[in-house]
Amino acid sequence: MSKSLKYAVFGAGSWATAIVKMLSENLDDIGWYMRSAYTKEHLLREQHNPNYLSSVEFHLEQLKLSNNINEMADWADVLIFVIPSAFIQTELDKLTIDISSKTIVSAVKGIVPETGLLVGEHFNEHYNVPFENIAIIAGPCHAEEVALERLSYLTISCWDSKKAQHIANSLSSDYINTKISDDVIGIEYGVMLKNIYAIAAGIAHGLGYGDNFQSILMSNAIREMKRYIKKVHKMKRNINNSAYLGDLLVTGYSTFSRNRMFGNMIGKGYTVKSAQMEMSMVAEGFYATKSAYFINEKNEKKADTPIIDAVYAILYDNKNPKKVFKKLTEKLD
């Protein structure tokens, strides 16, 4: 991949804003697509996102802002999608140009609900993007800590190691440490599943469980993740690497975690709808829970997933969180 390749970010939430900040450390020109004309105009006037990470000020001469997804997709060579999985297809439906020759990077943490596919699989199947042109960004890395320039770690996964390294180099800085991987499918599943486990951690906290139980929950969660990913994509991987375990831990424990926050509200008695209305950001784990549950149900030999099953029962079957977690505690070790 050439150093002169043009990068564009699609989305205007906190994670998208953080990725633009990372790219701005290395690139002179960064494309940024956002649906909201108000957000674009505010950025041009005030040099920061009005809704997310507003402390981050951008140098406008580095940014090419647009509300036209086709203009941005046509301009860039590397398209980084950071739109919540529940809404990404609505934006992709606006595309009229062919993106099959572009490099697609997914920083989306979930499954496309319309197709039941991972984001990378969705681009391959519905937009004819070759798998070697698809990359995944994984943490552990919270947008809020990127804004504060606290040391954070990213893993870039792509079957083409040169592409992975180029993307990693474009994101790395004094406060962003990057590595590459070829476990594209496993890491993308891990990115999705960790949000479900973070909701479980939040529910437990909201119900009044302490640190001792949280440690048991997280140790069971990484083993459950390993079983699940092995069923859907068997290959040699170390589940204790930062892209899996590290990302799980920060999402399950951090006060910045929107999925933990969402779960905490559920544990305290909020309904799903009221918890969603209370939050200004999307809890990807809510949508991921349904997708992960049904993918596992369809497997001929299901993985043993008591935590996912418990979260699904609470969020989608309206089961009582206290009763569900009481049963869950008897299944963990």
Side-chain angles (χ1 to χ4, degrees):
M1 293 179 76
S2 167
K3 285 186 178 180
S4 62
L5 288 178
K6 292 178 287 189
Y7 281 67
V9 174
F10 295 75
S14 58
W15 191 216
T17 305
I19 289 174
V20 174
K21 174 177 169 58
M22 290 184 242
L23 293 172
S24 70
E25 302 285 356
N26 300 296
L27 305 180
D28 294 328
D29 299 295
I30 305 149
W32 194 356
Y33 165 76
M34 52 199 64
R35 181 174 55 85
S36 167
Y38 166 75
T39 302
K40 175 187 171 184
E41 294 307 315
H42 185 98
L43 256 162
L44 288 172
R45 187 174 63 253
E46 305 292 342
Q47 297 179 259
H48 66 85
N49 189 327
N51 302 311
Y52 302 98
L53 306 188
S54 56
S55 64
V56 177
E57 290 196 358
F58 293 98
H59 298 292
L60 295 181
E61 64 272 13
Q62 287 182 283
L63 302 182
K64 177 181 175 63
L65 304 177
S66 179
N67 300 131
N68 186 322
I69 194 171
N70 286 290
E71 176 188 22
M72 195 53 62
D74 185 52
W75 176 82
D77 305 296
V78 182
L79 317 183
I80 305 179
F81 285 90
V82 206
I83 300 166
S85 59
F87 312 117
I88 190 170
Q89 189 56 53
T90 301
E91 294 304 305
L92 292 177
D93 284 340
K94 299 174 185 176
L95 280 175
T96 57
I97 69 166
D98 182 6
I99 61 168
S100 60
S101 63
K102 307 284 186 176
T103 296
I104 303 297
V105 183
S106 173
V108 182
K109 302 166 183 178
I111 281 180
V112 181
E114 290 85 351
T115 60
L117 298 172
L118 293 168
V119 176
E121 294 173 332
H122 185 78
F123 275 103
N124 172 257
E125 188 166 316
H126 293 274
Y127 296 90
N128 300 314
V129 180
F131 276 118
E132 59 268 24
N133 286 356
I134 295 171
I136 309 299
I137 296 178
C141 188
H142 276 309
E144 293 81 1
E145 293 203 354
V146 173
L148 295 168
E149 298 189 0
R150 291 177 177 169
L151 182 61
S152 303
Y153 290 70
L154 290 178
T155 298
I156 313 302
S157 181
C158 183
W159 287 351
D160 184 328
S161 61
K162 290 183 179 179
K163 285 187 174 73
Q165 193 60 60
H166 191 282
I167 297 163
N169 292 344
S170 299
L171 293 165
S172 66
S173 67
D174 290 343
Y175 57 91
I176 301 294
N177 188 306
T178 59
K179 61 181 290 187
I180 66 172
S181 167
D182 63 353
D183 185 17
V184 180
I185 296 175
I187 284 178
E188 192 166 11
Y189 268 108
V191 165
M192 175 191 73
L193 292 171
K194 54 102 175 184
N195 287 329
I196 304 172
Y197 300 131
I199 290 178
I203 293 172
H205 185 266
L207 289 170
Y209 288 90
D211 292 344
N212 293 335
F213 177 74
Q214 291 281 6
S215 67
I216 294 298
L217 183 65
M218 288 295 100
S219 65
N220 277 265
I222 192 61
R223 284 176 278 157
E224 183 172 306
M225 181 187 287
K226 181 179 182 179
R227 293 193 299 270
Y228 191 105
I229 297 176
K230 188 176 181 180
K231 287 287 184 183
V232 293
H233 184 60
K234 189 174 183 178
M235 69 170 281
K236 187 176 180 180
R237 63 174 62 85
N238 185 351
I239 203 72
N240 294 320
N241 282 348
S242 61
Y244 314 95
L245 178 58
D247 210 359
L248 168 66
L249 292 177
V250 75
T251 310
Y253 284 127
S254 176
T255 55
F256 290 130
S257 171
R258 67 191 71 174
N259 290 283
R260 179 186 167 91
M261 185 189 306
F262 175 74
N264 185 54
M265 287 191 282
I266 297 297
K268 287 184 179 296
Y270 283 69
T271 64
V272 168
K273 188 173 182 180
S274 62
Q276 289 174 321
M277 291 176 65
E278 189 81 11
M279 295 181 65
S280 60
M281 297 181 288
V282 175
E284 286 273 23
F286 171 72
Y287 304 99
T289 298
K290 186 176 183 179
S291 297
Y293 179 84
F294 281 110
I295 287 171
N296 195 40
E297 286 292 308
K298 290 176 184 176
N299 281 341
E300 188 175 335
K301 292 185 177 180
K302 292 166 50 178
D304 181 28
T305 56
I307 303 174
I308 293 174
D309 297 347
V311 175
Y312 179 86
I314 293 167
L315 299 184
Y316 289 94
D317 289 338
N318 298 313
K319 299 294 185 182
N320 182 287
K322 187 174 182 179
K323 292 180 179 179
V324 171
F325 262 67
K326 179 64 174 68
K327 291 181 180 178
L328 178 62
T329 62
E330 297 166 1
K331 298 176 183 178
L332 305 181
D333 54 37

